[in-house]
Amino acid sequence: MPTPPLAGGTAGPTHLRPLLDTVLTALHDGAARRNGPLPAGGPDTLTHRTHHATGPLIPEHGTGAHHALRTLVTTLTEGAADPAHPHCTAHLHTPPLAVAAAADLAASALNPSMDSWDQAPAASTLEATLTTTLAAEIYPHTPRPDALVTTGGTEANQLALLLARERHGPVQTICAANAHHSIARAAWILGLPTPLVIPAPTGVMDLPALHDALTRHHGPLLVTATAGTTDTGHIDPLDAIADLTSAHGAELHIDAAYGGPLLFSPTHRHLVHGLHRAHSVTLDLHKLGWQPASAGILAVPHQHDLDTLHHHAPYLNAADDTDAGLPDLLGRSLRTTRRPDALKIAVTLQALGRDGLADLIDRTLATAHHFADLITATPHLDLYARPTISTVLFRPTDADDTTVATLRRTLLTHGHAVLGRAHADNRLWLKATLLNPHTTPEDLHRLTTLVTHTLTGLTEGSTPR
């Protein structure tokens, strides 16, 4: 068997072109076979179908590149939950922009490793430019803000708590009941005290409870607020929280993994006013940024806030190399080998510009409000609240929680729709997290029809297919 060709170098594109044609055909064919937001049949059926289609993953004799790509990519696509389908709305699971996916291909072909300059000369420069540019969007009034590229909101939140620990020792974290689970997990990983959880009776942090907690507790305190919760999309009162933390000498981290990109919309940026007052901010551009995962950011107001992450490994950042001017990259992440995720983000920002980003955000939020209007106008469906960002909670009128859960799983099993679930007001709700800017009013009407027809089938003892 001849030695397989490589993706890089001057010959790489020639070898990639026919393979990409095979991949693109397989993506099309798999999506056509699925013909919906996800495959029908449920986990057991899909597992059997996938194993049967792929065959042994390490055969005695290789099947060849085109056959392997065609088989596995078609199978994976046919069995995918496709966030580009307008009825795939359960999670903060974004349909990536084509331009971002194309840039990600280039990143894979070039394969820079972002742990030393000699593995990523131009990529390290591009990442540095991107991180300072994004940090300046969050902290426009500080002279040298900075940011790190992370795998997502979870890693960014963990880094935020780590930086606070290194500044102050075993800092006590205070968060609301609406906070992302990664806050408590980060405290556990870092050996910090269990977070003090205060109420969020209306879906956002309760300010009197925060004032009481800050008054009663002493020592280093870190308040973590949320700009876009995963269940309802609510945004904590950021300025009021910043006022309280400042008055009590506490620090503030804002998890804006979901809502942070609202900064790019002149229409909606007021929703996240106050981000600049935090000691650190999490963004996640594979949510409301339409990037292929992963594309997380942790921003800080001062470049020196990141100094504590410096790490020395002689084979990667020898002191004499650093003194000679080679950039030291090990302090840019807790990871060593990592992909140049900055490329796809930078390409997207440049391709769309401020007006293009604002248009995507505004379209997406307008779609959520249209869906809320449609729910309100649909008999036998109840709306939880007007959407803050793009999350809409709704449920069948008078249904109990068991019926709501069964309805969701039935839609999944039949491959009709991917809806999430969230608890609010002591009830279970269906959750639609609308992130597809191409979703039309007709798509939303069909979704409500699917929900009501499936509910009718459940209550009558048969589910329409």
Side-chain angles (χ1 to χ4, degrees):
M1 175 180 288
T3 303
L6 303 177
T10 57
T14 300
H15 298 303
L16 279 172
R17 281 192 178 92
L19 297 174
L20 291 179
D21 187 62
T22 298
V23 167
L24 295 175
T25 299
L27 287 170
H28 171 273
D29 291 349
R33 292 181 190 178
R34 177 176 12 91
N35 192 31
L38 81 167
D44 291 342
T45 298
L46 182 63
T47 297
H48 175 76
R49 186 186 305 151
T50 301
H51 287 166
H52 182 266
T54 61
L57 294 184
I58 309 180
E60 189 67 28
H61 303 288
T63 61
H66 289 278
H67 183 277
L69 283 169
R70 184 166 54 249
T71 300
L72 272 73
V73 174
T74 302
T75 301
L76 189 69
T77 307
E78 184 178 2
D82 183 5
H85 192 285
H87 297 165
C88 189
T89 65
H91 304 288
L92 287 162
H93 183 195
T94 310
L97 297 174
V99 67
D104 221 18
L105 167 66
S108 293
L110 293 168
N111 205 31
S113 183
M114 304 298 297
D115 51 309
S116 67
W117 183 87
D118 58 355
Q119 299 176 86
S124 61
T125 299
L126 180 65
E127 180 179 273
T129 303
L130 174 75
T131 51
T132 54
T133 298
L134 290 176
E137 294 292 323
I138 297 170
Y139 298 107
H141 309 302
T142 58
R144 297 187 72 191
D146 204 354
L148 302 175
V149 177
T150 72
T151 55
T154 293
E155 184 189 356
N157 287 338
Q158 182 179 334
L159 280 170
L161 268 65
L162 172 63
L163 292 175
R165 187 193 73 180
E166 294 306 292
R167 287 192 296 268
H168 303 295
V171 62
Q172 172 66 64
T173 302
I174 301 174
C175 64
N178 64 353
H180 193 262
H181 64 84
S182 61
I183 299 298
R185 196 176 192 190
W188 168 67
I189 290 172
L190 295 168
L192 295 174
T194 300
L196 174 63
V197 179
I198 62 177
T202 63
V204 298
M205 183 181 287
D206 184 72
L207 293 176
L210 176 61
H211 178 271
D212 181 63
L214 290 170
T215 301
R216 288 187 294 105
H217 291 81
H218 304 285
L221 302 175
L222 176 69
V223 175
T224 65
T226 307
T229 62
T230 56
D231 53 0
T232 64
H234 281 339
I235 296 174
D236 286 336
L238 304 180
D239 271 316
I241 292 170
D243 289 342
L244 284 171
T245 56
S246 178
H248 287 84
E251 291 196 350
L252 174 62
H253 168 67
I254 298 177
D255 177 3
Y258 181 10
L262 296 175
L263 280 172
F264 292 108
S265 166
T267 304
H268 298 290
R269 67 165 62 108
H270 69 279
L271 294 171
V272 290
H273 188 270
L275 284 183
H276 66 287
R277 302 179 65 184
H279 292 81
S280 54
V281 174
T282 288
L283 293 184
D284 202 345
L285 295 173
H286 59 250
K287 293 182 172 63
L288 201 65
W290 297 280
Q291 297 298 296
S294 56
I297 298 289
L298 177 72
V300 292
H302 307 288
Q303 191 177 62
H304 63 73
D305 292 335
L306 302 175
D307 288 349
T308 190
L309 297 179
H310 174 74
H311 182 67
H312 183 64
Y315 77 104
L316 293 173
N317 59 345
D320 58 316
D321 280 347
T322 303
D323 291 342
L326 296 185
D328 181 353
L329 304 185
L330 277 186
R332 306 297 299 175
S333 177
L334 295 183
R335 294 169 285 152
T336 303
T337 302
R338 58 188 179 91
R339 301 182 76 250
D341 288 317
L343 175 61
K344 62 196 175 192
I345 301 172
V347 167
T348 300
L349 295 176
Q350 190 169 93
L352 272 63
R354 291 185 182 276
D355 56 352
L357 288 167
D359 181 65
L360 280 180
I361 292 167
D362 294 348
R363 283 174 181 268
T364 302
L365 270 63
T367 298
H369 281 276
H370 181 84
F371 190 48
D373 292 337
L374 183 59
I375 294 296
T376 301
T378 301
H380 311 301
L381 290 180
D382 294 338
L383 178 70
Y384 167 68
R386 302 296 303 177
T388 302
I389 306 179
S390 66
T391 300
V392 180
L393 301 189
F394 66 103
R395 56 178 285 129
T397 304
D398 298 328
D400 58 24
D401 286 358
T402 299
T403 300
V404 174
T406 302
L407 172 60
R408 173 183 175 272
R409 286 191 293 270
T410 301
L411 290 166
L412 285 173
T413 302
H414 290 164
H416 289 165
V418 189
L419 291 169
R421 53 188 291 162
H423 278 92
D425 291 345
N426 297 314
R427 292 193 293 173
L428 181 64
W429 299 78
L430 298 172
K431 178 176 70 171
T433 308
L434 298 164
L435 292 171
N436 187 341
H438 291 275
T439 298
T440 66
E442 291 75 20
D443 294 325
L444 299 175
H445 184 268
R446 283 193 289 271
L447 180 57
T448 58
T449 300
L450 277 170
V451 170
T452 54
H453 283 190
T454 303
L455 177 65
T456 299
L458 287 174
T459 55
E460 294 179 354
S462 63
T463 306
R465 296 187 64 85

